[in-house]
Amino acid sequence: SAVISQKPSRDICQRGTSLTIQCQVDSQVTMMFWYRQQPGQSLTLIATANQGSEATYESGFVIDKFPISRPNLTFSTLTVSNMSPEDSSIYLCSVLITPGQALYTFGSGTRLTVV
Amino acid sequence: QKEVEQNSGPLSVPEGAIASLNCTYSDRGSQSFFWYRQYSGKSPELIMFIYSNGDKEDGRFTAQLNKASQYVSLLIRDSQPSDSATYLCAVNYWTSYDKVIFGPGTSLSVIP
């Protein structure tokens, strides 16, 4: 199955700044997904990133706050913009490893703390 | 609003016992169901998936699916302390492509 490398693994950021998280996959994948996991909570889908088109955002998430790039079939970035302490979460990249069976694998995550 | 619900935890079982984790979902069109295990500070790890009604066994794990009742469960036999983790139920739904939504998770603690 696909292996995902996610960077940085953790960061502490000042409020009002932005952080870009990178996700690199060792094989070409059509769709990449970005999730957020707030402390003590489950995973919430932020957006779906397809190569060559704009990302599709879930309800409650907007492009201005979470811009996403998908320049090729193995790489994506998620930027958390104008951060506030409420953005402190784990951000996870995920890819679909078996189309038609909806099987996913996750990167190791980025633990973000905003102070 | 598509929802996935799980039995509230934390759930504590003695070592060697059977742990039973339950999940219900709202979208009757869902076809794929997953159980992920998440250790503290780690990312989720897929441990079971099931697509058809009935039981699916893999080692000490058994997933059970009842689409009519919109219910899926995970049984862990001979529970071990290493099974202590949060278990996330996930269900697919189709828009223009497959998406997966996650339940809130159930924390399991296996007591030696």
Side-chain angles (χ1 to χ4, degrees):
Chain A
S1 62
V3 176
I4 302 175
S5 300
Q6 194 172 330
K7 293 192 294 187
S9 59
R10 60 178 62 228
D11 207 341
I12 300 173
C13 300
Q14 296 291 321
R15 68 175 66 202
T17 62
S18 299
L19 176 71
T20 296
I21 302 167
Q22 299 180 3
C23 179
Q24 178 76 53
V25 189
D26 68 346
S27 58
Q28 294 185 340
V29 293
T30 304
M31 302 170 73
M32 298 176 74
F33 303 85
W34 287 99
Y35 285 86
R36 180 176 73 182
Q37 188 172 30
Q38 295 177 301
Q41 304 295 313
S42 188
L43 280 72
T44 301
L45 181 62
I46 297 172
T48 303
N50 293 330
Q51 193 270 334
S53 63
E54 286 193 5
T56 302
Y57 289 83
E58 298 298 305
S59 175
F61 297 95
V62 295
I63 188 171
D64 289 347
K65 176 67 175 178
F66 298 101
I68 288 172
S69 77
R70 183 77 201 277
N72 57 53
L73 290 173
T74 64
F75 187 78
S76 178
T77 67
L78 169 76
T79 299
V80 186
S81 303
N82 188 24
M83 288 184 285
S84 66
E86 292 71 35
D87 295 318
S88 298
S89 293
I90 298 173
Y91 293 85
L92 293 150
C93 170
S94 175
V95 301
L96 181 63
I97 56 176
T98 310
Q101 292 184 305
L103 293 178
Y104 294 83
T105 189
F106 287 86
S108 54
T110 297
R111 184 179 295 271
L112 171 62
T113 302
V114 184
V115 297
Chain B
Q1 180 80 7
K2 304 188 189 303
E3 295 182 344
V4 177
E5 298 183 353
Q6 296 183 239
N7 50 325
S8 59
L11 177 65
S12 292
V13 300
E15 183 174 356
I18 296 176
S20 177
L21 305 165
N22 303 317
C23 173
T24 58
Y25 59 94
S26 64
D27 183 13
R28 286 196 170 275
S30 294
Q31 297 295 320
S32 306
F33 308 88
F34 312 91
W35 285 98
Y36 286 83
R37 177 176 63 198
Q38 187 174 29
Y39 292 113
S40 180
K42 302 294 185 182
S43 60
E45 171 193 12
L46 180 67
I47 56 171
M48 287 288 285
F49 58 91
I50 186 168
Y51 305 128
S52 303
N53 278 328
D55 295 357
K56 178 182 179 182
E57 187 174 316
D58 184 1
R60 296 186 295 111
F61 298 98
T62 299
Q64 299 175 316
L65 174 61
N66 183 327
K67 290 184 180 179
S69 300
Q70 295 175 244
Y71 173 89
V72 59
S73 67
L74 178 70
L75 301 178
I76 307 174
R77 292 181 300 281
D78 188 24
S79 296
Q80 302 296 308
S82 59
D83 295 325
S84 298
T86 295
Y87 289 80
L88 302 166
C89 174
V91 177
N92 89 302
Y93 68 98
W94 178 264
T95 54
S96 55
Y97 49 84
D98 267 320
K99 286 201 275 191
V100 170
I101 55 174
F102 285 81
T106 300
S107 175
L108 172 66
S109 180
V110 180
I111 311 301

